[in-house]
Amino acid sequence: MTDYRLDDQIGFILRQVYQRHAVLFSDGLGEDLTPMQWAVLAKLAELGTSSQNLLGRLTAMDVATVKGVVERLSRRGLIETRPDAEDRRRLVVSLSASGEALYVQLVAKASAVTDLTLAPLSETERGTLRALLDKLR
């Protein structure tokens, strides 16, 4: 046998940490939003209008995934889409009034989820973790 232990592998550890965070996220937001849907709402709140393609890149989603997320959020009335005036092949996405209201309602809860996720760490450890994860991006 080898010295390879699954429990020591960074990908496995990151997946476990993400699973813990996903449970905290679901419990904390309670609005039937996935983390990817929240990412789209939050990024649109930050940017304003964006092309679907750029939105996918900025939220680390592939083309098919962001397309599905945008479609689901659009059906819920949380975002609006329209063809780009300069390039009709490009889809432009923005928050609807309902999406903006939901974002405002949930942003403090989303921050609280981050705090809960990082609760086992000291402030110094949080900064170190963030810096290390940024290096791995």
Side-chain angles (χ1 to χ4, degrees):
M1 286 288 160
T2 68
D3 292 334
Y4 185 94
R5 249 180 53 95
L6 180 63
D7 289 350
D8 296 334
Q9 304 311 306
I10 190 65
F12 185 69
I13 294 166
L14 289 171
R15 188 169 61 81
Q16 289 177 312
V17 170
Y18 178 75
Q19 287 173 329
R20 178 178 165 268
H21 171 76
V23 168
L24 293 170
F25 179 90
S26 178
D27 292 346
L29 265 64
E31 287 293 328
D32 194 29
L33 283 174
T34 67
M36 288 188 285
Q37 289 171 344
W38 174 252
V40 166
L41 294 178
K43 190 52 78 173
L44 288 172
E46 178 186 331
L47 294 175
T49 300
S50 173
S51 73
Q52 181 174 289
N53 187 287
L54 177 61
L55 187 59
R57 288 195 310 271
L58 295 175
T59 56
M61 290 182 223
D62 61 42
V63 172
T65 301
V66 75
K67 181 180 186 295
V69 169
V70 164
E71 286 173 352
R72 285 185 289 284
L73 291 172
S74 182
R75 280 196 304 269
R76 289 181 63 182
L78 298 174
I79 62 172
E80 298 170 344
T81 61
R82 62 176 164 58
D84 187 314
E86 295 175 17
D87 184 348
R88 309 267 316 146
R89 295 169 298 172
R90 183 180 308 160
L91 193 63
V92 175
V93 184
S94 58
L95 286 176
S96 67
S98 296
E100 285 182 44
L102 184 62
Y103 174 80
V104 168
Q105 174 189 337
L106 295 180
V107 69
K109 289 180 180 183
S111 291
V113 169
T114 296
D115 290 341
L116 280 172
T117 300
L118 297 174
L121 304 178
S122 70
E123 286 300 319
T124 301
E125 290 170 327
R126 289 176 186 205
T128 300
L129 177 63
R130 175 61 195 260
L132 291 171
L133 289 173
D134 281 345
K135 281 183 96 168
L136 291 176
R137 244 187 235 199

